[in-house]
Every structure is written in C-alpha cells, then in structure tokens.
CSV table of all heavy atoms in Angstrom, one decimal:
chain,number,residue,atom,x,y,z
V,41,LEU,N,-22.6,35.5,-39.8
V,41,LEU,CA,-24.2,35.5,-39.8
V,41,LEU,C,-24.8,34.8,-40.9
V,41,LEU,O,-24.6,35.2,-42.0
V,41,LEU,CB,-24.6,37.0,-39.8
V,41,LEU,CG,-24.2,37.8,-38.6
V,41,LEU,CD1,-24.9,39.2,-38.8
V,41,LEU,CD2,-24.2,37.2,-37.3
V,42,PRO,N,-25.4,33.6,-40.7
V,42,PRO,CA,-26.1,32.9,-41.8
V,42,PRO,C,-27.4,33.8,-42.3
V,42,PRO,O,-27.8,34.8,-41.6
V,42,PRO,CB,-26.6,31.6,-41.1
V,42,PRO,CG,-26.6,31.9,-39.8
V,42,PRO,CD,-25.6,32.9,-39.5
V,43,GLN,N,-27.9,33.3,-43.4
V,43,GLN,CA,-28.9,34.1,-44.0
V,43,GLN,C,-30.2,34.3,-43.2
V,43,GLN,O,-30.9,35.3,-43.1
V,43,GLN,CB,-29.4,33.5,-45.3
V,43,GLN,CG,-30.4,34.3,-46.2
V,43,GLN,CD,-29.8,35.6,-46.5
V,43,GLN,OE1,-28.6,35.7,-47.1
V,43,GLN,NE2,-30.5,36.7,-46.3
V,44,TRP,N,-30.5,33.2,-42.2
V,44,TRP,CA,-31.7,33.4,-41.5
V,44,TRP,C,-31.6,34.5,-40.4
V,44,TRP,O,-32.5,35.2,-40.1
V,44,TRP,CB,-31.9,32.0,-40.7
V,44,TRP,CG,-31.0,31.7,-39.6
V,44,TRP,CD1,-29.9,30.8,-39.6
V,44,TRP,CD2,-31.0,32.2,-38.2
V,44,TRP,NE1,-29.4,30.8,-38.4
V,44,TRP,CE2,-30.1,31.5,-37.5
V,44,TRP,CE3,-31.9,33.1,-37.5
V,44,TRP,CZ2,-29.8,31.8,-36.1
V,44,TRP,CZ3,-31.7,33.3,-36.2
V,44,TRP,CH2,-30.6,32.6,-35.5
V,45,VAL,N,-30.3,34.8,-40.0
V,45,VAL,CA,-30.0,36.0,-39.1
V,45,VAL,C,-30.2,37.2,-39.9
V,45,VAL,O,-30.9,38.2,-39.5
V,45,VAL,CB,-28.7,35.9,-38.5
V,45,VAL,CG1,-28.4,37.0,-37.6
V,45,VAL,CG2,-28.5,34.7,-37.6
V,46,LEU,N,-29.6,37.3,-41.1
V,46,LEU,CA,-29.6,38.5,-42.0
V,46,LEU,C,-31.0,39.0,-42.2
V,46,LEU,O,-31.4,40.1,-42.4
V,46,LEU,CB,-28.9,38.4,-43.2
V,46,LEU,CG,-27.4,38.2,-43.0
V,46,LEU,CD1,-26.7,37.7,-44.3
V,46,LEU,CD2,-26.6,39.4,-42.5
V,47,SER,N,-31.9,37.9,-42.4
V,47,SER,CA,-33.3,38.1,-42.8
V,47,SER,C,-34.3,38.4,-41.6
V,47,SER,O,-35.4,38.8,-42.0
V,47,SER,CB,-33.8,37.0,-43.6
V,47,SER,OG,-33.0,36.8,-44.8
V,48,LEU,N,-33.9,38.1,-40.5
V,48,LEU,CA,-34.8,38.1,-39.4
V,48,LEU,C,-35.3,39.5,-39.1
V,48,LEU,O,-36.5,39.7,-38.9
V,48,LEU,CB,-34.2,37.4,-38.1
V,48,LEU,CG,-35.2,37.2,-37.0
V,48,LEU,CD1,-34.7,35.9,-36.3
V,48,LEU,CD2,-35.2,38.3,-36.0
V,49,PRO,N,-34.4,40.6,-38.8
V,49,PRO,CA,-34.9,41.8,-38.4
V,49,PRO,C,-35.6,42.6,-39.6
V,49,PRO,O,-35.3,42.4,-40.8
V,49,PRO,CB,-33.7,42.6,-38.1
V,49,PRO,CG,-32.6,41.6,-37.9
V,49,PRO,CD,-33.0,40.5,-38.8
V,50,ARG,N,-36.6,43.3,-39.3
V,50,ARG,CA,-37.4,44.0,-40.4
V,50,ARG,C,-36.6,44.9,-41.2
V,50,ARG,O,-36.7,45.0,-42.4
V,50,ARG,CB,-38.5,44.9,-39.7
V,50,ARG,CG,-39.3,45.8,-40.6
V,50,ARG,CD,-40.4,46.4,-39.8
V,50,ARG,NE,-39.9,47.2,-38.7
V,50,ARG,CZ,-39.5,48.6,-39.0
V,50,ARG,NH1,-39.7,49.1,-40.1
V,50,ARG,NH2,-39.2,49.3,-38.0
V,51,LEU,N,-35.6,45.5,-40.5
V,51,LEU,CA,-34.6,46.4,-41.3
V,51,LEU,C,-33.3,45.9,-41.6
V,51,LEU,O,-32.3,46.5,-42.0
V,51,LEU,CB,-34.5,47.7,-40.6
V,51,LEU,CG,-35.7,48.5,-40.5
V,51,LEU,CD1,-35.5,49.7,-39.5
V,51,LEU,CD2,-36.3,49.0,-41.6
V,52,GLY,N,-33.1,44.4,-41.4
V,52,GLY,CA,-31.9,43.8,-41.7
V,52,GLY,C,-30.9,44.1,-40.6
V,52,GLY,O,-31.1,44.4,-39.5
V,53,CYS,N,-29.6,43.9,-41.0
V,53,CYS,CA,-28.4,43.9,-40.0
V,53,CYS,C,-27.6,45.1,-40.6
V,53,CYS,O,-27.1,45.1,-41.7
V,53,CYS,CB,-27.7,42.6,-40.0
V,53,CYS,SG,-28.7,41.3,-39.4
V,54,LEU,N,-27.2,45.9,-39.6
V,54,LEU,CA,-26.3,47.1,-39.8
V,54,LEU,C,-25.0,46.8,-39.2
V,54,LEU,O,-24.9,46.4,-38.1
V,54,LEU,CB,-26.9,48.5,-39.5
V,54,LEU,CG,-28.4,48.8,-40.0
V,54,LEU,CD1,-28.6,50.2,-39.7
V,54,LEU,CD2,-28.5,48.6,-41.5
V,55,ASN,N,-23.9,47.1,-40.0
V,55,ASN,CA,-22.6,46.9,-39.5
V,55,ASN,C,-21.7,48.1,-39.4
V,55,ASN,O,-21.9,48.9,-40.3
V,55,ASN,CB,-21.8,45.9,-40.4
V,55,ASN,CG,-20.4,45.6,-40.1
V,55,ASN,OD1,-19.5,45.9,-40.8
V,55,ASN,ND2,-20.2,45.1,-38.9
V,56,ILE,N,-21.0,48.3,-38.3
V,56,ILE,CA,-20.0,49.4,-38.3
V,56,ILE,C,-18.7,48.8,-38.7
V,56,ILE,O,-18.1,48.0,-38.1
V,56,ILE,CB,-19.9,49.9,-36.8
V,56,ILE,CG1,-21.2,50.4,-36.3
V,56,ILE,CG2,-18.9,51.1,-36.8
V,56,ILE,CD1,-21.2,50.9,-35.0
V,57,HIS,N,-18.1,49.2,-39.9
V,57,HIS,CA,-16.9,48.9,-40.4
V,57,HIS,C,-15.9,49.9,-40.4
V,57,HIS,O,-16.1,51.0,-40.9
V,57,HIS,CB,-17.1,48.3,-41.8
V,57,HIS,CG,-15.9,47.6,-42.4
V,57,HIS,ND1,-15.5,46.4,-42.0
V,57,HIS,CD2,-15.0,48.1,-43.2
V,57,HIS,CE1,-14.3,45.9,-42.5
V,57,HIS,NE2,-13.9,47.1,-43.3
V,58,ALA,N,-14.6,49.6,-39.9
V,58,ALA,CA,-13.7,50.5,-39.6
V,58,ALA,C,-12.8,50.8,-40.9
V,58,ALA,O,-11.5,50.6,-40.8
V,58,ALA,CB,-12.8,50.1,-38.4
V,59,SER,N,-13.3,51.2,-42.0
V,59,SER,CA,-12.6,51.6,-43.1
V,59,SER,C,-13.4,52.3,-44.1
V,59,SER,O,-14.7,52.3,-43.9
V,59,SER,CB,-12.0,50.4,-43.8
V,59,SER,OG,-12.9,49.8,-44.7
V,60,LEU,N,-13.0,52.9,-45.2
V,60,LEU,CA,-13.7,53.5,-46.2
V,60,LEU,C,-14.0,52.5,-47.3
V,60,LEU,O,-13.2,52.4,-48.2
V,60,LEU,CB,-13.0,54.8,-46.8
V,60,LEU,CG,-12.8,55.9,-45.7
V,60,LEU,CD1,-11.9,57.0,-46.4
V,60,LEU,CD2,-14.1,56.5,-45.2
V,61,LEU,N,-15.0,51.7,-47.1
V,61,LEU,CA,-15.2,50.6,-48.2
V,61,LEU,C,-15.4,51.2,-49.5
V,61,LEU,O,-15.7,52.4,-49.7
V,61,LEU,CB,-16.5,49.9,-47.8
V,61,LEU,CG,-16.5,49.0,-46.5
V,61,LEU,CD1,-17.9,48.6,-46.1
V,61,LEU,CD2,-15.5,47.9,-46.6
V,62,PRO,N,-14.9,50.4,-50.5
V,62,PRO,CA,-14.5,49.0,-50.4
V,62,PRO,C,-13.1,48.7,-50.1
V,62,PRO,O,-12.6,47.6,-50.1
V,62,PRO,CB,-14.8,48.5,-51.9
V,62,PRO,CG,-14.4,49.7,-52.8
V,62,PRO,CD,-14.8,50.9,-51.9
V,63,ARG,N,-12.2,49.8,-49.7
V,63,ARG,CA,-10.9,49.5,-49.3
V,63,ARG,C,-11.0,48.9,-48.0
V,63,ARG,O,-11.6,49.3,-47.0
V,63,ARG,CB,-10.0,50.8,-49.2
V,63,ARG,CG,-8.6,50.6,-48.9
V,63,ARG,CD,-7.8,51.8,-49.4
V,63,ARG,NE,-6.4,51.8,-49.1
V,63,ARG,CZ,-5.5,51.0,-49.7
V,63,ARG,NH1,-5.9,50.2,-50.7
V,63,ARG,NH2,-4.2,50.9,-49.4
V,64,TRP,N,-10.2,47.9,-47.7
V,64,TRP,CA,-10.0,47.2,-46.5
V,64,TRP,C,-11.1,46.5,-45.9
V,64,TRP,O,-11.6,46.7,-44.8
V,64,TRP,CB,-9.3,48.1,-45.4
V,64,TRP,CG,-8.0,48.7,-45.8
V,64,TRP,CD1,-7.6,50.0,-45.9
V,64,TRP,CD2,-6.8,48.0,-46.3
V,64,TRP,NE1,-6.4,50.2,-46.3
V,64,TRP,CE2,-5.8,49.0,-46.7
V,64,TRP,CE3,-6.6,46.6,-46.5
V,64,TRP,CZ2,-4.6,48.6,-47.1
V,64,TRP,CZ3,-5.3,46.3,-47.1
V,64,TRP,CH2,-4.3,47.3,-47.3
C-alpha cells in the first residue's frame, strides 16, 4: 500500500496480522 492509500481513509488502514508483534 503506497502512502496515498494509507492516508486516504479518515481512520487510516487497519491490518489483521497473524502473530504477536513484533515477533514474526
């Protein structure tokens, strides 16, 4: 996702990541 996508929504972009960050 380039910056223009990340900045477009009012609340930004939320990601579901399958680990306990910052591991993996």
Side-chain angles (χ1 to χ4, degrees):
L41 302 189
Q43 189 59 50
W44 72 261
V45 178
L46 297 172
S47 303
L48 191 147
R50 177 174 61 86
L51 297 174
C53 300
L54 305 189
N55 176 243
I56 302 176
H57 187 74
S59 80
L60 299 175
L61 290 171
R63 184 158 178 80
W64 303 126

